[in-house]
């Protein structure tokens, strides 16, 4: 839904680039307020996932690059503004075949209408 929504936003704002990024496994301080047991378990998981973990600084650099530059290989929604769907390493992400089918059926418009309707309900 996020990728399709970003494509709709990009169509409405063609001068703006939108990035939907999957940063990968990044060890942040997100769980610092959890209890000692939860922190210990997460630390064990991060230790085991170390080969697949992206350092915090590198993730920040990659996100900044995606926000200020043109991501590599331009995973762009056809006919739309500039939405980018990228993985942790800046490469295109997602199943482009499925997204292509959704574009053909104009599912993005349905998703965007649903999103706006939910915001109207929540915000009054």
């Amino acid at each position: 839904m996020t990728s399709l929504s970003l494509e709709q936003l990009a169509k409405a704002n063609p001068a703006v680039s939108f990035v939907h990024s999957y940063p990968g496994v990044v060890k942040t301080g997100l769980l610092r307020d959890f209890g000692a047991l939860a922190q210990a378990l997460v630390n064990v998981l991060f230790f085991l996932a170390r080969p697949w973990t992206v350092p915090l600084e590198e993730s920040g650099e990659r996100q900044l690059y995606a926000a200020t530059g043109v991501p590599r290989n331009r995973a762009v929604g056809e006919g739309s503004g500039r939405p980018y769907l990228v993985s942790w390493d800046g490469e295109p992400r997602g199943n482009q075949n499925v997204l292509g089918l959704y574009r053909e059926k104009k599912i993005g418009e349905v998703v965007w209408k649903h999103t706006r309707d939910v915001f109207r309900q929540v915000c009054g």
Side-chain angles (χ1 to χ4, degrees), residues 93-107:
R93 177 166 173 80
N95 188 332
Q96 296 301 318
N97 293 331
V98 171
L99 287 172
L101 292 173
Y102 288 164
R103 289 181 195 114
E104 286 177 20
K105 295 180 179 184
K106 301 195 183 301
I107 300 296

Side-chain angles (χ1 to χ4, degrees), residues 9-124:
L9 285 169
K11 286 178 184 178
N13 303 280
V16 179
S17 293
F18 294 88
V19 178
H20 181 195
S21 173
Y22 169 72
V25 179
V26 181
K27 187 174 182 181
T28 66
L30 184 64
L31 300 174
R32 66 182 167 272
D33 295 330
F34 281 55
L37 180 61
Q39 286 182 357
L41 289 172
V42 169
N43 284 333
V44 168
L45 290 174
F46 271 117
F47 178 78
L48 295 173
R50 195 171 184 183
W52 302 280
T53 302
V54 179
L56 182 61
E57 294 80 13
E58 182 178 341
S59 179
E61 290 169 358
R62 290 176 182 273
Q63 299 307 309
L64 180 62
Y65 176 78
T68 58
V70 177
R72 295 187 307 202
N73 297 333
R74 298 183 177 200
V76 180
E78 293 179 32
S80 61
R82 294 175 65 100
Y84 298 102
L85 176 59
V86 296
S87 188
W88 69 272
D89 59 357
E91 293 296 325
R93 177 166 173 80
N95 188 332
Q96 296 301 318
N97 293 331
V98 171
L99 287 172
L101 292 173
Y102 288 164
R103 289 181 195 114
E104 286 177 20
K105 295 180 179 184
K106 301 195 183 301
I107 300 296
E109 294 171 15
V110 174
V111 167
W112 188 236
K113 180 187 179 315
H114 168 75
T115 302
R116 288 190 324 244
D117 289 345
V118 170
F119 272 102
R120 280 190 202 103
Q121 285 179 335
V122 170
C123 298

